Amino acid sequence: MQILPRSFAQLVGVVIVAGSFAGCAPVQTAPVPAPSGPAAAVPGSPVLAAPAYKPEFGTMWTFEAPPLEYWRTTYNFTPDQGWLDNVRLASVRLPNCSASFVSANGLVMTNHHCARQCIEESSSKDSNYIQTGFAAANLRDEKKCAGLYVDQLISIEPVTDRVRAAVTAATTGERATQRGEAIAGIQRQCETGSANTCQVVSLYQGGIYSLYRFKRYSDVRLVMAPEGDIAFFGGDPDNFTYPRYDLDLTLYRVYENDIPFKPANFLRWSARGPVENEPVFVVGNPGSTGRLNTVAQMEFLRDVQYPATLAGYTRQLDIYGQLTKGDTAAARRYQNDVFGISNSQKAVTGYRTGLVDSARAANKLAFETEFRQRINADPALRAKYGGTWDAVAAAQSQLATFNPTLRYHGFAGGSQLLTMAAQIVRIASETTKPNAQRLTPYRGQGLETIKAAVSRDRNIDTRYERLALAAQLRAAQSELPATDPYLGATLAGRTPEAAAAALVSGTTLANTAARRALIEGGAAAVAASTDPLIVLARAIDPLNRSVTAKADSLNAIIATNAEMIGQALFAAYGTALPPDATFTLRISDGLVKTYAYNGTIAPYKTTFFGLYERSAAFDNKDPFHLPQRWIARRDRLDLATGFNFVSTNDIIGGNSGSPVINRNAEVVGLAFDSNIEGVPNRFLFDATTGRTVSVHSAGMIEALRKIYDGGRIADELQGVTARR
Amino acid sequence: MQILPRSFAQLVGVVIVAGSFAGCAPVQTAPVPAPSGPAAAVPGSPVLAAPAYKPEFGTMWTFEAPPLEYWRTTYNFTPDQGWLDNVRLASVRLPNCSASFVSANGLVMTNHHCARQCIEESSSKDSNYIQTGFAAANLRDEKKCAGLYVDQLISIEPVTDRVRAAVTAATTGERATQRGEAIAGIQRQCETGSANTCQVVSLYQGGIYSLYRFKRYSDVRLVMAPEGDIAFFGGDPDNFTYPRYDLDLTLYRVYENDIPFKPANFLRWSARGPVENEPVFVVGNPGSTGRLNTVAQMEFLRDVQYPATLAGYTRQLDIYGQLTKGDTAAARRYQNDVFGISNSQKAVTGYRTGLVDSARAANKLAFETEFRQRINADPALRAKYGGTWDAVAAAQSQLATFNPTLRYHGFAGGSQLLTMAAQIVRIASETTKPNAQRLTPYRGQGLETIKAAVSRDRNIDTRYERLALAAQLRAAQSELPATDPYLGATLAGRTPEAAAAALVSGTTLANTAARRALIEGGAAAVAASTDPLIVLARAIDPLNRSVTAKADSLNAIIATNAEMIGQALFAAYGTALPPDATFTLRISDGLVKTYAYNGTIAPYKTTFFGLYERSAAFDNKDPFHLPQRWIARRDRLDLATGFNFVSTNDIIGGNSGSPVINRNAEVVGLAFDSNIEGVPNRFLFDATTGRTVSVHSAGMIEALRKIYDGGRIADELQGVTARR
């Protein structure tokens, strides 16, 4: 469940950005600021009686509506409110991940891949902690992570009625503005005169609004991080797979007033770790799921969007194949790029697998039919929501008709030089406009971010550029009608190979100074430029604006109706079905469980034996290379200690770093990924073979004690009175 | 590549036996006896110029026609005749497996699963060597395996012309008789006045006939066998899979005149074992492939035969599910049955996977089209072979029309009691007939074998019987027309459940004495019996005879034409394509190679670390239980030693025990299985992910020295002057 750029984040919002000059604006997940009110956890009420739980919606339950009856009947598990409050307050959110308090002195556990920035910034010119790992010998040695904070969800308050009351206008646009203002107002009011951070969370796409109040802890220090090679052992090939052998762990400590914070609520360490077939709970912040997508939306992804994305990966991999054929030095140089693309290919193939799977598709269709029948059976609901599915389907079919135009006129994929040329042309035109009239990626901070990205020094690989541009033009030629003006502008009668060669050899844009001069020269410099890529970008720009506007209006229809379907779901099913992920706190139940794989059985856990096996089986070659310390200290380890394990919990990007706890709220693991069979769960959840992959609690302790001289930290986690 | 009954052997000839009262006659693979002639290795000549190698035909090359040019261009490997002769003479055949001479003093290496009978028979009431393993401390301690022999292929002689010359008759039946007599005559002549064993081998289904002359060694003694739990570690779940951790090894020694035989040709031990990406060769006796099957035959298997077989497995597994639900004692009791059926299900699913795979199917169709074009382009070949494919296709479609009738009227699957009732009725009728007029399974030794099987004591599980019979009747009801006389006879207006309950509770056939009395009473006793199952079997018997006769005549058409297609293949392609497997000596080339699996990469080798990993990951539970000695002596081992490895060689049941050698003809491994991806290779070979799984040469030595106190044996294998 790597939420690094190239796996999950790359795919977020891919439909929306496909047609535009995509900038580099970070994904917006930060909570928005506002006022205060009484803490309570009461969801709104559905209009119709709630039916039984639907497994395909997964188990990302909110703390507003924990499924107490379902847990009781499924696991004979009946947590009281104290259990739920303790677990909620022990769990925290990082800017991009999940984490939890795991000691009386404020230790916070998360994944190594969530903490790379702090680990890198804590390093110095004499130390590279990504390479060597780091374990503070004492409190003084713990290193403050600049700018890092953790948010603790201290209360949840229903504000659905307040938001609804503010929305009185007739048009969709005005209603959206009113809604946004109401939400901002509630958040502002919540934060006024308080140190808290507040966020109005929209569940079921507007079915419920809840005010989440967070206590923010802003003094976070690095306590322990293993070497990158053991945290991400197996690298991109093993990413999204199991059996697995990763110590994807980082420990922070929260300080207040320069002394360790003593949280009232923290998770104690399990003495025995995960037991096969026991129920366990993952508590964290899943980022984004698409389970409420309509059949039409899923079909669009399956038949249009994902095939195009996958074809792009294939083109890129073909190019690397050409660049590295018979050249081992080049193969080494491009290895990380190839692994990265293969990894994205693995993820998207996985998402699509879930959509292609006929059993899952039939299940989805059956649900949508039932859902629509429930809505249509109630005249008021029918009047309000009855037409939404068809509206989405009509817009999706419209979008499908010009998808190749949208992609190629948008310069999607391929050449970095062409993309920068397009951005230079747009920086010139957008700078002069008022913010609200700019193209979306150039609004707010977007413009400056894109400027900075284009202006920075880059190492342009012209051989790659030429191949990439040629491949892009060949693909455009095969997908667009011969009369398409894009082909006229780019090829101008040449073959794709000849056009690419001429454009790449003729442009000066590989030179940073040339790019900066064009940006600084503004519209006049851009208009006067005879650089062949700038000339080309000027020609394509109006084509792109036209097709993007067309796509934007259709996507707006889809977004509006999708929101209504979310509200309809809540009206028809209440909280019997968990809402789509919102990067806010959820609790997912599941079982520690083996599964059928590779013609045999995948074990519920792995051990340190397996780590050494996988390294030895690949002759210790990268990415199966063990850090020196793990080689030297091998004999200290009890190799039969559990290292990773799997469970049927429902997680996705954003859940990285979530604690896995047993029914006593004790830590048995640390979630960090999904197996390959779990990747399709993005759209339709299925626990037959999909699994959450976690670091085993016993493995973390064993490594701390035997490999990292971290007895001080292990003692603290296990609640042992300090021995040193 | 377990050639144990339930994996491969069960499936051999499944089309032919499906409609008959299948007896228990062993698969006939023993060579047939006859005369002598000059040793030579010259294949016949094809009529048309031979085209390029077709990868889908695999690499089971004969020693008559080693693909020297293909090896040279593929691996830059150019063995001389001495290399080939040495390898051929160092390889030997066991009655059901492959093996090789691996020391100057006559050590023979094969798989543990090939040697179970000898290991069991060498045990005594005080020792169970399957459980404890066995390693002879010295020569005196080596234990003779009664009745066991190994056959060494000492010469190959072309006899195609002699066989052809003898076949002069006009009708198919008479020609077959003449051919059989000619072959028997050649074999007899070869064996007369010689100690050798001779076999005329039909390659390309009659395209070439070769006389194989074997030297037989009949004093074979058990030297070393590990515990069954380490030889078959992972049991049925891990069977047909990789990564794998099995010491599937047994060492014999051949004696002559009570002293160790000193073979002139034996394989030396490699000092470094298999190296990633190096070419390796598997030399052994593959039993049966179906690569020459026509598209129509493959479609029949894919659409009719295998789905029926798989439905039968599903029914059986459902029954075990009912018998064991919530009953852990029953679950333990039936565990081996469930594993066994799951294993067969795995194999058949794998075979069918290869047939369903659209890329492979397209490949097959393209080849058949090309093949037919080549034949049709030559008037003489066209006249002789042009009509064969359509004849096969017509017979297969005919067979498809009454397949359910053939299966259910034949009592296929399900109740043991009903099967025995049917056999009792047939023993009575067939005994009185001349051999040639009997139903096929009752000819020759068949009658006595079936009699013995029905007469022996059996532990009949009546709960299972009732469920199995009910399931069988339900399935018949769903597949046969309501008016089918079988349904009338079995159900007689009752529900399947009621009929099954009445039949099982009413019969006395669970009683051995009752069965023996009916057999001894002959036709009169059977005719007079009022046992409900005997009454039923009498009613079904004529239905079965009628449908079986119909199927037999269609299968005879298929067999005749298939033989002609084999001959056509040789005429069109010569020895450029290897012939289908014949349980005679072949040499297959391949590479030691990783492959894509489970979203990541399967390593080319495993190590002892992985063995301990898999055991620990399953908490040392059966079938991942380690023998005590392996637990106690773990620290003696260098755990990074290679244990198993994979290569792209082409093997199938019968190849078990084959040596894997490098280009220096040194042993780098011992083949024992295929991975799950390799199972579909039965029909169309594909080396993308299909792999041969072998024991690593270094792992065998390490285990002998550190676990089995077998330094004496390891020294002998490695050619070290004895140290003790």
Side-chain angles (χ1 to χ4, degrees):
Chain A
M1 197 59 38
Q2 304 290 352
I3 55 162
L4 302 170
R6 62 172 171 253
S7 54
F8 276 95
Q10 197 173 43
L11 301 154
V12 170
V14 80
V15 174
I16 294 159
V17 302
S20 32
F21 292 124
C24 302
V27 177
Q28 294 291 337
T29 47
V32 196
S36 153
V42 184
S45 301
V47 174
L48 303 173
Y53 167 60
K54 310 266 175 192
E56 68 267 32
F57 276 81
T59 59
M60 292 178 177
W61 306 104
T62 63
F63 279 84
E64 286 98 313
L68 299 174
E69 182 58 17
Y70 159 72
W71 284 345
R72 192 185 63 73
T73 54
T74 309
Y75 309 114
N76 191 25
F77 174 61
T78 53
D80 59 17
Q81 192 58 42
W83 190 97
L84 290 163
D85 290 345
N86 177 55
V87 165
R88 171 173 54 79
L89 291 165
S91 303
V92 293
R93 186 169 72 179
L94 295 169
N96 59 346
C97 278
S98 301
S100 57
F101 284 119
V102 286
S103 85
N105 288 309
L107 278 181
V108 167
M109 174 177 78
T110 190
N111 289 149
H112 186 276
H113 78 265
C114 294
R116 285 187 75 99
Q117 189 181 344
C118 169
I119 300 167
E120 278 166 6
E121 292 176 1
S122 300
S123 304
S124 67
K125 68 174 169 46
D126 302 321
S127 63
N128 178 340
Y129 296 143
I130 293 287
Q131 215 173 314
T132 64
F134 170 77
N138 49 49
L139 291 179
R140 283 181 310 282
D141 202 24
E142 297 178 357
K143 295 183 185 299
K144 185 156 173 29
C145 304
L148 188 64
Y149 56 84
V150 304
D151 283 342
Q152 178 191 38
L153 177 56
I154 55 173
S155 77
I156 300 170
E157 187 184 336
V159 292
T160 310
D161 294 346
R162 287 174 67 186
V163 174
R164 292 268 159 81
V167 179
T168 54
T171 73
T172 305
E174 285 173 302
R175 291 172 68 86
T177 305
Q178 289 178 330
R179 195 182 301 117
E181 284 169 0
I183 287 171
I186 294 169
Q187 290 175 162
R188 226 175 9 249
Q189 187 192 346
C190 170
E191 290 182 348
T192 302
S194 152
N196 295 331
T197 299
C198 298
Q199 179 186 6
V200 171
V201 180
S202 159
L203 300 171
Y204 305 102
Q205 285 145 269
I208 316 183
Y209 293 92
S210 290
L211 176 63
Y212 279 33
R213 191 179 279 106
F214 297 92
K215 177 164 181 197
R216 177 163 290 184
Y217 300 87
S218 300
D219 185 349
V220 181
R221 305 190 189 177
L222 181 65
V223 177
M224 185 269 162
E227 303 86 343
D229 277 357
I230 190 73
F232 195 46
F233 180 82
D236 281 308
D238 279 6
N239 195 23
F240 295 124
T241 75
Y242 180 83
R244 193 72 163 278
Y245 317 94
D246 284 2
L247 186 65
D248 195 352
L249 163 71
T250 290
L251 291 167
Y252 290 133
R253 189 189 305 280
V254 164
Y255 281 70
E256 278 195 332
N257 304 320
D258 231 28
I259 58 168
F261 171 62
K262 295 194 178 300
N265 300 92
F266 67 91
L267 303 172
R268 287 165 206 281
W269 210 259
S270 163
R272 61 177 193 175
V275 175
E276 189 174 359
N277 296 319
E278 79 166 329
V280 290
F281 302 85
V282 170
V283 187
N285 303 281
S288 172
T289 51
R291 293 174 190 158
L292 201 40
N293 279 12
T294 68
V295 169
Q297 286 176 293
M298 291 190 182
E299 286 173 349
F300 181 84
L301 289 170
R302 183 191 69 193
D303 300 335
V304 181
Q305 187 66 43
Y306 286 159
T309 305
L310 290 170
Y313 295 147
T314 303
R315 282 200 297 275
Q316 281 184 276
L317 291 173
D318 284 350
I319 292 167
Y320 287 115
Q322 289 175 59
L323 290 172
T324 59
K325 196 172 179 183
D327 179 348
T328 51
R332 258 197 310 279
R333 195 163 60 245
Y334 292 115
Q335 178 177 293
N336 281 338
D337 297 292
V338 169
F339 277 162
I341 299 163
S342 305
N343 203 27
S344 299
Q345 190 181 43
K346 200 183 324 187
V348 177
T349 303
Y351 301 151
R352 188 160 181 274
T353 299
L355 300 174
V356 168
D357 178 330
S358 59
R360 290 195 200 215
N363 211 359
K364 175 70 193 176
L365 188 60
F367 172 76
E368 189 163 298
T369 305
E370 176 201 299
F371 181 14
R372 294 179 72 164
Q373 279 165 354
R374 282 174 80 87
I375 294 298
N376 287 335
D378 179 293
L381 293 178
R382 179 184 188 145
K384 197 163 175 186
Y385 302 119
T388 50
W389 287 272
D390 292 342
V392 169
Q396 290 289 14
S397 346
Q398 274 294 307
L399 277 169
T401 61
F402 61 95
N403 181 267
T405 318
L406 183 64
R407 279 184 285 115
Y408 293 108
H409 291 198
F411 307 88
S415 161
Q416 211 181 132
L417 287 170
L418 180 57
T419 302
M420 290 195 298
Q423 288 171 324
I424 288 168
V425 169
R426 295 212 152 171
I427 289 167
S429 63
E430 301 307 291
T431 303
T432 60
K433 296 180 189 165
N435 188 57
Q437 285 170 32
R438 290 180 191 162
L439 291 169
T440 314
Y442 292 78
R443 290 185 195 161
Q445 286 306 302
L447 178 63
E448 288 310 313
T449 306
I450 294 171
K451 252 190 192 172
V454 178
S455 304
R456 73 175 164 76
D457 276 327
R458 286 167 186 253
N459 195 356
I460 304 287
D461 179 342
T462 51
R463 215 174 136 220
Y464 176 88
E465 284 290 313
R466 203 159 45 237
L467 291 170
L469 194 50
Q472 190 172 347
L473 296 177
R474 269 197 308 275
Q477 210 176 25
S478 79
E479 289 192 70
L480 297 175
T483 55
D484 190 285
Y486 173 86
L487 295 178
T490 51
L491 298 176
R494 299 167 292 190
T495 65
E497 292 70 25
L503 288 165
V504 172
S505 66
T507 187
T508 62
L509 297 185
N511 184 309
T512 309
R515 296 196 301 275
R516 287 189 188 149
L518 282 164
I519 291 176
E520 283 155 23
V526 167
S529 173
T530 57
D531 186 290
L533 281 179
I534 294 292
V535 172
L536 179 59
R538 284 200 310 259
I540 302 174
D541 187 58
L543 302 177
N544 179 267
R545 285 177 191 267
S546 148
V547 73
T548 302
K550 197 167 140 193
D552 283 354
S553 75
L554 290 165
N555 279 321
I557 293 171
I558 293 169
T560 304
N561 282 280
E563 222 177 285
M564 292 176 72
I565 289 170
Q567 295 163 24
L569 185 84
F570 180 68
Y573 295 90
T575 54
L577 305 181
D580 262 328
T582 44
F583 195 54
T584 52
L585 201 65
R586 304 294 180 93
I587 176 166
S588 164
D589 53 275
L591 295 172
V592 176
K593 213 169 161 193
T594 66
Y595 60 96
Y597 110 115
N598 187 37
T600 179
I601 312 162
Y604 76 94
K605 70 175 174 190
T606 64
T607 76
F608 287 121
F609 276 124
L611 170 69
Y612 288 98
E613 161 65 12
R614 198 142 172 88
S615 175
F618 285 98
D619 297 324
N620 202 32
K621 281 189 294 200
D622 187 52
F624 305 101
H625 177 74
L626 285 168
Q628 189 49 42
R629 176 152 50 182
W630 283 80
I631 297 171
R633 298 187 168 190
R634 189 184 88 200
D635 288 344
R636 297 188 184 186
L637 291 170
D638 175 353
L639 293 173
T641 307
F643 189 19
N644 287 179
F645 72 99
V646 282
S647 56
T648 61
N649 301 276
D650 182 13
I651 67 167
I652 204 159
N655 264 120
S656 287
S658 298
V660 188
I661 59 175
N662 61 21
R663 59 171 80 217
N664 300 323
E666 295 163 340
V667 173
V668 298
L670 167 61
F672 71 97
D673 204 359
S674 158
N675 66 353
I676 190 86
E677 295 87 343
V679 175
N681 284 346
R682 184 178 191 85
F683 297 105
L684 293 159
F685 183 74
D686 184 341
T688 310
T689 57
R691 292 290 181 275
T692 288
V693 185
S694 304
V695 190
H696 192 292
S697 54
M700 292 189 265
I701 295 296
E702 183 76 359
L704 279 168
R705 293 194 186 280
K706 310 281 184 68
I707 302 285
Y708 295 103
D709 301 325
R712 168 185 85 100
I713 305 162
D715 283 349
E716 186 178 339
L717 290 172
Q718 294 186 301
V720 178
T721 307
R723 288 186 292 214
R724 56 188 74 191
Chain B
M1 196 61 35
Q2 303 290 351
I3 56 161
L4 301 170
R6 64 171 169 252
S7 54
F8 277 95
Q10 196 172 46
L11 303 154
V12 170
V14 79
V15 175
I16 294 158
V17 304
S20 35
F21 292 122
C24 303
V27 178
Q28 295 289 338
T29 47
V32 196
S36 154
V42 183
S45 301
V47 174
L48 304 174
Y53 167 60
K54 309 268 176 192
E56 68 267 32
F57 276 81
T59 58
M60 293 178 177
W61 308 104
T62 63
F63 279 83
E64 286 97 313
L68 298 175
E69 182 58 18
Y70 159 72
W71 284 345
R72 191 185 63 73
T73 55
T74 309
Y75 310 114
N76 190 25
F77 174 60
T78 54
D80 59 16
Q81 192 58 43
W83 190 97
L84 290 163
D85 290 345
N86 177 55
V87 165
R88 170 173 53 80
L89 291 165
S91 303
V92 293
R93 186 169 71 179
L94 295 168
N96 58 345
C97 278
S98 301
S100 57
F101 283 119
V102 286
S103 85
N105 288 308
L107 278 181
V108 168
M109 174 178 78
T110 190
N111 289 149
H112 186 276
H113 78 264
C114 295
R116 283 188 75 97
Q117 190 181 345
C118 169
I119 299 166
E120 277 167 6
E121 291 176 3
S122 299
S123 304
S124 66
K125 69 175 170 41
D126 302 322
S127 64
N128 178 340
Y129 295 142
I130 292 287
Q131 215 172 316
T132 64
F134 171 76
N138 49 50
L139 291 177
R140 282 182 311 284
D141 201 23
E142 297 178 358
K143 295 184 185 297
K144 185 159 173 28
C145 305
L148 187 63
Y149 56 85
V150 304
D151 282 343
Q152 179 190 37
L153 177 56
I154 55 173
S155 77
I156 300 170
E157 186 184 336
V159 293
T160 310
D161 294 346
R162 288 173 67 186
V163 174
R164 290 269 159 79
V167 179
T168 55
T171 73
T172 306
E174 283 172 302
R175 291 172 67 85
T177 306
Q178 288 177 330
R179 193 181 303 117
E181 283 169 1
I183 287 170
I186 294 169
Q187 291 175 162
R188 228 177 5 252
Q189 187 192 344
C190 169
E191 290 182 347
T192 301
S194 152
N196 295 331
T197 299
C198 299
Q199 179 187 4
V200 171
V201 179
S202 160
L203 300 172
Y204 304 103
Q205 285 146 268
I208 316 184
Y209 293 92
S210 291
L211 176 61
Y212 280 32
R213 192 178 280 105
F214 297 93
K215 177 163 181 199
R216 178 164 291 183
Y217 301 87
S218 299
D219 186 350
V220 181
R221 303 190 190 176
L222 180 65
V223 176
M224 185 270 163
E227 303 86 342
D229 277 356
I230 191 73
F232 194 45
F233 179 82
D236 282 306
D238 279 5
N239 195 24
F240 295 122
T241 75
Y242 179 83
R244 193 72 163 280
Y245 317 94
D246 286 0
L247 186 65
D248 196 351
L249 163 72
T250 290
L251 291 167
Y252 291 132
R253 190 189 305 280
V254 164
Y255 281 70
E256 278 196 332
N257 305 319
D258 232 27
I259 58 169
F261 170 63
K262 295 194 179 298
N265 301 93
F266 66 92
L267 303 172
R268 286 165 209 280
W269 210 259
S270 163
R272 61 178 192 173
V275 176
E276 189 173 359
N277 296 319
E278 77 166 332
V280 291
F281 302 86
V282 170
V283 188
N285 303 280
S288 172
T289 51
R291 292 174 191 159
L292 203 39
N293 279 12
T294 68
V295 170
Q297 286 176 295
M298 291 190 183
E299 286 174 349
F300 181 85
L301 288 170
R302 182 191 71 192
D303 301 334
V304 180
Q305 188 65 43
Y306 286 159
T309 305
L310 290 170
Y313 295 148
T314 303
R315 283 200 295 276
Q316 279 183 279
L317 291 172
D318 283 351
I319 292 166
Y320 287 115
Q322 289 175 58
L323 290 172
T324 59
K325 195 172 178 182
D327 179 348
T328 50
R332 260 198 307 280
R333 195 162 61 244
Y334 292 116
Q335 177 177 295
N336 281 338
D337 297 291
V338 169
F339 277 162
I341 298 163
S342 304
N343 204 26
S344 299
Q345 190 181 44
K346 199 184 323 187
V348 176
T349 302
Y351 300 151
R352 189 161 180 274
T353 299
L355 301 174
V356 168
D357 178 329
S358 58
R360 292 197 200 215
N363 211 0
K364 175 71 192 175
L365 188 59
F367 172 76
E368 190 162 299
T369 305
E370 174 201 300
F371 181 14
R372 294 180 72 164
Q373 279 165 355
R374 281 174 80 85
I375 293 299
N376 287 335
D378 179 293
L381 293 177
R382 179 184 187 143
K384 199 163 173 188
Y385 303 119
T388 50
W389 287 272
D390 292 343
V392 169
Q396 289 290 15
S397 346
Q398 274 293 308
L399 276 169
T401 60
F402 61 93
N403 181 268
T405 318
L406 183 65
R407 280 183 284 115
Y408 293 108
H409 291 196
F411 307 90
S415 161
Q416 208 180 137
L417 287 170
L418 179 57
T419 302
M420 290 196 297
Q423 289 170 321
I424 288 168
V425 168
R426 296 212 151 171
I427 290 167
S429 63
E430 300 307 291
T431 302
T432 60
K433 295 180 188 164
N435 188 55
Q437 286 171 32
R438 290 178 191 162
L439 292 169
T440 314
Y442 292 80
R443 290 184 195 162
Q445 287 305 303
L447 178 63
E448 288 311 312
T449 306
I450 294 171
K451 251 190 192 170
V454 178
S455 303
R456 74 174 164 76
D457 275 327
R458 286 167 186 254
N459 195 356
I460 303 288
D461 179 343
T462 51
R463 216 175 134 218
Y464 176 87
E465 285 289 315
R466 201 157 48 236
L467 290 170
L469 195 49
Q472 189 172 348
L473 296 177
R474 267 196 309 274
Q477 209 175 27
S478 78
E479 289 192 68
L480 297 174
T483 54
D484 190 285
Y486 173 87
L487 294 177
T490 52
L491 296 176
R494 298 169 293 191
T495 64
E497 293 71 24
L503 288 164
V504 173
S505 68
T507 187
T508 63
L509 296 186
N511 185 310
T512 310
R515 296 196 301 275
R516 287 188 186 147
L518 281 163
I519 291 174
E520 282 154 23
V526 168
S529 172
T530 58
D531 186 290
L533 281 179
I534 294 292
V535 172
L536 178 59
R538 284 200 311 258
I540 301 174
D541 186 56
L543 301 177
N544 180 267
R545 286 178 189 268
S546 148
V547 73
T548 302
K550 198 166 142 195
D552 283 353
S553 75
L554 290 165
N555 279 320
I557 293 170
I558 293 168
T560 303
N561 282 282
E563 223 176 284
M564 292 175 72
I565 290 170
Q567 295 164 24
L569 185 83
F570 180 68
Y573 296 90
T575 55
L577 306 180
D580 261 328
T582 45
F583 195 54
T584 52
L585 201 66
R586 304 294 179 95
I587 176 166
S588 165
D589 54 275
L591 295 172
V592 175
K593 211 168 161 194
T594 67
Y595 61 96
Y597 111 115
N598 187 39
T600 180
I601 312 161
Y604 76 94
K605 70 175 174 190
T606 64
T607 76
F608 287 122
F609 276 123
L611 170 70
Y612 289 98
E613 161 65 10
R614 199 141 170 88
S615 174
F618 284 99
D619 298 324
N620 203 30
K621 280 189 294 198
D622 187 50
F624 304 100
H625 177 74
L626 285 169
Q628 190 48 43
R629 177 152 48 184
W630 283 80
I631 297 171
R633 298 187 168 190
R634 190 184 87 199
D635 288 343
R636 298 188 184 187
L637 291 169
D638 175 354
L639 293 173
T641 307
F643 189 18
N644 288 179
F645 73 99
V646 281
S647 57
T648 61
N649 300 277
D650 181 15
I651 66 167
I652 203 159
N655 263 120
S656 288
S658 298
V660 188
I661 60 176
N662 61 22
R663 57 171 81 216
N664 300 324
E666 295 163 340
V667 173
V668 298
L670 167 61
F672 71 97
D673 203 359
S674 158
N675 66 352
I676 190 86
E677 295 88 345
V679 175
N681 284 346
R682 185 180 192 85
F683 297 105
L684 293 160
F685 183 74
D686 184 341
T688 311
T689 57
R691 292 290 179 276
T692 289
V693 185
S694 304
V695 190
H696 192 293
S697 54
M700 291 189 265
I701 295 295
E702 183 76 359
L704 280 167
R705 293 196 186 279
K706 310 282 183 68
I707 301 285
Y708 294 104
D709 301 324
R712 169 185 85 100
I713 305 162
D715 284 348
E716 185 178 339
L717 290 172
Q718 295 187 301
V720 178
T721 308
R723 291 187 289 218
R724 57 188 74 192

